[in-house]
Amino acid sequence: MTMAVLGFQLMIFISMFVAILMGRGWLKAATVFWVLLTLFGSIYTMGLMALQLITIYFSFRVCDKFWNWRMARHKR
């Protein structure tokens, strides 16, 4: 795996994290954007597509947990 592929996966995570800082709706929009780009973009290898979908799923779960933690902290 090249550094460019890993860097792109990191960019996906960072963009989704920035989206959750703006609100949960932004996270959902960013997730839909990345999934559509992955499925209908210029990715032609199944391995890279699977890696990117796993990255999107992992990023969504991490950001969602961060959102829940942040909301629980504000309610105290």
Side-chain angles (χ1 to χ4, degrees), residues 13-71:
F13 178 78
I14 290 170
S15 70
M16 291 179 72
F17 192 78
V18 168
I20 195 64
L21 293 176
M22 295 188 295
R24 194 160 189 188
W26 286 97
L27 175 63
K28 291 178 182 179
T31 302
V32 168
F33 169 78
W34 282 116
V35 168
L36 291 176
L37 185 68
T38 299
L39 295 177
F40 302 113
S42 60
I43 299 174
Y44 299 111
T45 60
M46 287 302 286
L48 186 56
M49 187 180 291
L51 172 66
Q52 202 152 312
L53 289 172
I54 290 168
T55 300
I56 294 166
Y57 176 77
F58 171 76
S59 299
F60 181 83
R61 300 307 308 158
V62 168
C63 291
D64 192 46
K65 287 196 182 289
F66 174 76
W67 178 261
N68 292 336
W69 171 80
R70 189 174 168 192
M71 290 299 105

